[in-house]
Amino acid sequence: MKNQRNYCARTDIYNMMIRLHARHNWTDQARGLFFEMQKWRCKPDAETCNALINAHGRSGQWRWAMNIMEDMLQKAIPPSRSTYNNLINACGSSGNWREALKLCKKMTENGVGPDLVTHNIILSAYKTGAQYAKALSYFELMKGTNIRPDTTTLNIIIYCLTKLGQYEKAIGIFKSMREKRAECHPDVVTFTSIIHLYSVNGQIENCRAVFSTMVAEGLKPNIVSYNTLMGAYASHGMNKEALSVFNAIKNSGLRPDVVSYTSLLNSYGRSQQPKKAREVFEMMKRDKLKPNIVSYNAMIDAYGSNGLLAEAVEVLREMEQDGIYPNAVSICTLLAACGRCSRKVNIDVVLQAAERRHIKLNTIAYNSAIGSYMNVGEFEKATSMYRSMRKSKVIPDAVTFTVLISGCCKMTKYCEALEFLSEMMDLKIPMTKEAYSSVICAYSKQGKITEAESMFNKMKMAGCSPDVVTYTMMLHAYNAAEHWKKACALLQEMEEYNIQPDTIACSALMRAFNKGGDPSKVLILAEFMREKEIPLSDAIFFEMVSACSLLRDWRTTIELIKLMESSFSVVSIGLLNQLLHLLGKSGKIESMMKLFYKIIGSGAEINCNTYSILLKNLLAVGNWRKYIEVLEWMEEARVQPSNGMYFDIISFAQKSGATYSSIIQERVESLRRKSGNEVSTSKV
């Protein structure tokens, strides 16, 4: 056209060409056309400026867009609503939500009122700038105007609510959009956002259900929808389901992108199949897709989480050879792998590698390093890492202190744990549930029951609902301090909060009941455990036997023996000896002997103390024949009777009179000769 002799430059044609270049993100060419049209003495108008602002906005060059607006005003070209919207979008898409908000205010002052597009652009700017709470506040203000939200508006709000963890509100908006009389109906983006919400919340079944509903309602999933569903499966190591979605992408006529391959790779890594993950990685390359840094990090994690540190480090080198430089996430992944594999040297090597590559560690990376050192018992290096973190002016968060405090407690460094608590308080960092539990543990181990109790109450007041582990710590603390009533009161509190005690908690409660003089509650709690199918341990049986002894409840003791019978081979011999002693002490000699036969029949390992309990109780009722028989069993079992056992029976013989004395002494002498044990009757 320009080569024609009769060519006449026209503004509308230049506007069309600038818009075309903007659509393809050819910003420099669009700007060149703007200067060219002025050389041809073709005067730019509002549409020209709008197209050029749009071009720079698409490429994130918001300052250029602002300059164009200034030129426009200098040339007395009145900006339209589209001009403002394009400029606001240029700022918002770059994350400069403050500039976007200023322009919106200026727009209103200049008499050009915002429309729905303007509001959506502002909301999108807040979203891009991670100002999710501000987006929700702006949405509430928007409701007060005559402008009604559309599907795009609600999609942004659902995204912001998800980021803030307000899942129920997001689901509520989604449900309202699906109502018959709703003005805004959900689109593919809406359904994809809800799939992501359920994925973040760990409700994988709901992810699939929402995807199926989207298809059933006639909406065609795009590649982002498929990738979101794959990501949900991958995060839980569900490789078969992830592969099924991957194949569905191909069958739908879409081409899997880098995100698709990375999600599939990640699913194999999480399901402990690093070889399969490598196959997917190589397949991605064969399909002429270049792995990005997320792909390489997923590959590092696939090897690292399965203890293959050498292979994980090799991937780090491989990514550098491909021109992709590792970031803080790469280092975090390697550090976490070192911690899991308990490799002290490798943690230092990874940190040195990060330093050589000038990778600045962020809070997450420091947390990984501190946690890894704590996992391998390197307390000094962990604390040194924390000091380095503070020196580098990297702000620690709740995770940092949780890792430090819990690590100190695991290494029984309770004083140090409390020092970190003090520092956490000074920095006004809110405590996590894990931090509260660790601090309670530290206080209780040091015998500071008042402080532990105070921290436990603060935990509840802060809205961090204590779990069964925390309650168990408090039970042990009260037991150690002999505060039996307080320990017993915790059971009622657990019931109020609908927290079911586990085996360890139940054993601690039973001990409190026994020590607190209320053994009947032990048996009630045991019945509760059977109803709730809570496993019974040695400690539980021990407390139950103690309760029966205190209550002199022999019937329950017999029932307890029947309950334990199938577990005799794995139950500790100390507990079995206690049962034998309880029956013998109560005068139930026949029951005691029956229990002994069952113990022998189960194949349980018995010791000299077992025989000693039998002998003492047999002698107490004067059953000398069975006493001697037990001595014979000991000889057969190659358990050497003590001199005291012989002395006891000889003493009994001398006290019983001439009738049995000679018979007993003859039998004992016979046993003595067999065992080679010299017994002097004169000592008796």
Side-chain angles (χ1 to χ4, degrees):
M1 285 174 66
K2 287 191 289 185
N3 288 334
Q4 298 299 316
R5 287 183 181 180
N6 59 347
Y7 170 71
C8 180
R10 286 169 49 184
T11 302
D12 60 334
I13 292 175
Y14 270 103
N15 290 350
M16 191 184 299
M17 291 300 293
I18 290 171
R19 282 197 299 270
L20 178 65
H21 283 80
R23 198 174 296 123
H24 291 276
N25 292 326
W26 293 1
T27 311
D28 292 338
Q29 291 86 336
R31 192 161 54 241
L33 285 168
F34 176 74
F35 293 126
E36 183 185 305
M37 71 184 289
Q38 294 179 78
K39 285 180 183 178
W40 285 90
R41 296 183 180 179
C42 184
K43 189 178 179 181
D45 59 8
E47 286 300 316
T48 315
C49 295
N50 287 347
L52 199 58
I53 289 170
N54 186 31
H56 287 86
R58 281 172 173 268
S59 60
Q61 299 178 25
W62 66 277
R63 294 187 187 279
W64 269 95
M66 294 282 282
N67 292 335
I68 294 164
M69 175 72 163
E70 293 297 326
D71 291 342
M72 190 177 177
L73 294 171
Q74 287 175 9
K75 292 176 181 178
I77 301 172
S80 64
R81 183 178 283 117
S82 296
T83 311
Y84 279 108
N85 285 345
N86 283 329
L87 190 56
I88 292 168
N89 188 47
C91 295
S93 59
S94 303
N96 295 291
W97 56 273
R98 288 187 178 86
E99 290 294 334
L101 208 60
K102 286 178 185 177
L103 285 166
C104 185
K105 188 179 179 181
K106 189 176 181 181
M107 177 183 184
T108 307
E109 290 171 353
N110 290 344
V112 183
D115 59 359
L116 178 60
V117 175
T118 314
H119 288 309
N120 284 346
I121 291 169
I122 292 291
L123 286 170
S124 183
Y126 279 132
K127 172 188 165 184
T128 307
Q131 301 297 315
Y132 309 118
K134 284 185 169 63
L136 297 181
S137 299
Y138 188 88
F139 179 63
E140 291 301 319
L141 293 172
M142 181 181 165
K143 285 179 182 178
T145 66
N146 294 324
I147 300 170
R148 293 184 177 180
D150 63 357
T151 301
T152 303
T153 314
L154 296 179
N155 286 345
I156 295 169
I157 297 304
I158 287 171
Y159 180 89
C160 293
L161 286 168
T162 303
K163 284 292 184 180
L164 292 170
Q166 299 179 25
Y167 305 125
E168 289 184 8
K169 288 184 179 180
I171 296 295
I173 292 174
F174 175 63
K175 287 179 179 177
S176 68
M177 292 173 76
R178 295 191 66 206
E179 292 174 358
K180 289 183 180 179
R181 296 181 182 179
E183 294 180 5
C184 309
H185 294 286
D187 58 8
V188 175
V189 176
T190 319
F191 278 99
T192 303
S193 297
I194 297 300
I195 292 168
H196 174 69
L197 181 152
Y198 282 126
S199 173
V200 170
N201 209 19
Q203 300 179 34
I204 306 303
E205 289 301 320
N206 286 343
C207 293
R208 185 72 208 184
V210 172
F211 187 87
S212 300
T213 303
M214 175 174 61
V215 175
E217 292 188 3
L219 295 171
K220 188 178 180 181
N222 57 22
I223 190 67
V224 179
S225 307
Y226 280 114
N227 287 345
T228 304
L229 183 60
M230 278 187 72
Y233 287 135
S235 63
H236 286 72
M238 301 168 69
N239 58 283
K240 291 180 181 177
E241 291 81 357
L243 181 60
S244 175
V245 177
F246 185 81
N247 292 331
I249 295 173
K250 292 181 176 179
N251 295 334
S252 67
L254 296 170
R255 184 171 182 259
D257 60 8
V258 174
V259 178
S260 312
Y261 280 99
T262 303
S263 294
L264 184 60
L265 182 160
N266 194 31
S267 72
Y268 283 119
R270 294 290 177 92
S271 59
Q272 299 182 342
Q273 298 184 63
K275 288 184 180 179
K276 283 277 188 181
R278 171 55 83 171
E279 288 174 13
V280 174
F281 190 74
E282 296 301 328
M283 184 169 62
M284 186 187 340
K285 291 181 178 178
R286 286 198 302 271
D287 289 347
K288 298 179 180 179
L289 288 169
K290 187 178 180 181
N292 58 22
I293 193 162
V294 180
S295 311
Y296 279 105
N297 287 344
M299 199 63 237
I300 291 170
D301 184 59
Y303 282 128
S305 59
N306 289 283
L308 302 170
L309 269 176
E311 290 81 351
V313 173
E314 188 58 38
V315 173
L316 189 73
R317 296 194 186 98
E318 187 181 334
M319 69 190 290
E320 289 179 316
Q321 290 170 2
D322 288 347
I324 297 174
Y325 295 100
N327 59 7
V329 178
S330 316
I331 300 303
C332 284
T333 309
L334 280 171
L335 287 171
C338 293
R340 281 192 293 266
C341 300
S342 300
R343 304 282 180 86
K344 299 179 184 180
V345 178
N346 290 83
I347 300 171
D348 297 333
V349 171
V350 171
L351 290 171
Q352 288 167 9
E355 190 176 352
R356 284 198 303 272
R357 291 163 175 80
H358 305 289
I359 298 172
K360 290 186 178 180
L361 302 183
N362 57 17
T363 303
I364 298 171
Y366 273 109
N367 290 348
S368 294
I370 293 167
S372 297
Y373 277 130
M374 284 293 189
N375 285 341
V376 297
E378 289 284 349
F379 174 76
E380 294 298 330
K381 288 188 176 180
T383 51
S384 174
M385 200 73 208
Y386 170 70
R387 287 192 290 272
S388 173
M389 179 185 191
R390 297 303 304 275
K391 190 176 180 181
S392 303
K393 296 183 179 179
V394 177
I395 301 170
D397 59 6
V399 176
T400 315
F401 286 102
T402 301
V403 169
L404 284 166
I405 293 168
S406 59
C408 289
C409 288
K410 285 176 184 176
M411 287 186 267
T412 66
K413 294 182 179 292
Y414 304 115
C415 292
E416 291 83 349
L418 297 177
E419 286 174 10
F420 283 121
L421 170 67
S422 178
E423 194 167 343
M424 187 179 185
M425 293 295 187
D426 291 341
L427 293 171
K428 296 180 180 178
I429 295 173
M431 289 182 68
T432 61
K433 185 184 289 187
E434 293 77 10
Y436 274 116
S437 296
S438 297
V439 171
I440 290 167
C441 175
Y443 279 134
S444 61
K445 291 290 184 182
Q446 287 190 313
K448 297 179 178 179
I449 188 64
T450 306
E451 289 83 351
E453 196 172 34
S454 173
M455 189 57 64
F456 184 62
N457 292 329
K458 283 181 183 178
M459 181 181 185
K460 289 184 283 187
M461 290 173 64
C464 295
S465 302
D467 56 11
V468 67
V469 176
T470 313
Y471 273 104
T472 305
M473 286 180 185
M474 282 306 301
L475 284 168
H476 285 306
Y478 283 138
N479 283 343
E482 298 186 359
H483 293 176
W484 316 117
K485 289 184 179 179
K486 286 185 176 181
C488 297
L490 279 183
L491 178 62
Q492 187 177 349
E493 190 176 310
M494 290 173 78
E495 288 175 355
E496 289 174 4
Y497 287 104
N498 199 27
I499 296 172
Q500 182 173 302
D502 59 9
T503 305
I504 300 171
C506 286
S507 67
L509 278 166
M510 286 179 172
R511 185 166 184 267
F513 289 143
N514 278 331
K515 294 288 185 179
D518 203 352
S520 58
K521 287 185 178 178
V522 171
L523 304 181
I524 295 170
L525 184 56
E527 189 60 36
F528 168 82
M529 290 181 71
R530 281 196 286 270
E531 287 175 7
K532 298 294 183 180
E533 297 181 350
I534 301 172
L536 303 176
S537 65
D538 264 18
I540 295 291
F541 284 128
F542 181 87
E543 296 300 337
M544 288 173 70
V545 171
S546 298
C548 289
S549 178
L550 291 168
L551 294 167
R552 301 184 68 81
D553 188 346
W554 314 123
R555 182 178 294 178
T556 305
T557 305
I558 299 301
E559 290 175 1
L560 182 59
I561 291 168
K562 289 178 181 177
L563 179 66
M564 294 173 59
E565 195 170 330
S566 60
S567 308
F568 280 168
S569 57
V570 291
V571 170
S572 70
I573 189 61
L575 177 58
L576 295 174
N577 287 347
Q578 188 193 16
L579 273 172
L580 290 168
H581 176 69
L582 175 60
L583 291 172
K585 187 180 178 182
S586 65
K588 308 282 184 181
I589 301 301
E590 188 177 344
S591 298
M592 180 189 74
M593 293 310 302
K594 283 181 180 179
L595 175 60
F596 177 75
Y597 299 143
K598 287 176 180 178
I599 293 170
I600 295 293
S602 70
E605 291 284 338
I606 59 174
N607 55 24
C608 189
N609 195 35
T610 312
Y611 290 108
S612 178
I613 291 167
L614 294 179
L615 293 172
K616 284 179 182 178
N617 286 295
L618 287 169
L619 202 60
V621 295
N623 194 340
W624 61 271
R625 288 185 175 83
K626 183 60 73 175
Y627 188 106
I628 294 172
E629 191 176 349
V630 171
L631 287 175
E632 289 173 349
W633 294 344
M634 291 179 72
E635 292 291 349
E636 290 171 5
R638 296 182 180 178
V639 177
Q640 182 63 48
S642 66
N643 285 334
M645 292 174 181
Y646 287 119
F647 291 152
D648 287 343
I649 188 63
I650 291 171
S651 176
F652 173 81
Q654 291 176 350
K655 289 176 183 178
S656 63
T659 309
Y660 304 114
S661 178
S662 58
I663 299 171
I664 293 171
Q665 290 196 26
E666 187 180 335
R667 294 281 296 276
V668 170
E669 184 63 26
S670 175
L671 279 171
R672 182 191 64 74
R673 284 195 297 270
K674 287 180 181 178
S675 63
N677 196 356
E678 295 292 336
V679 183
S680 174
T681 57
S682 61
K683 287 183 181 179
V684 178

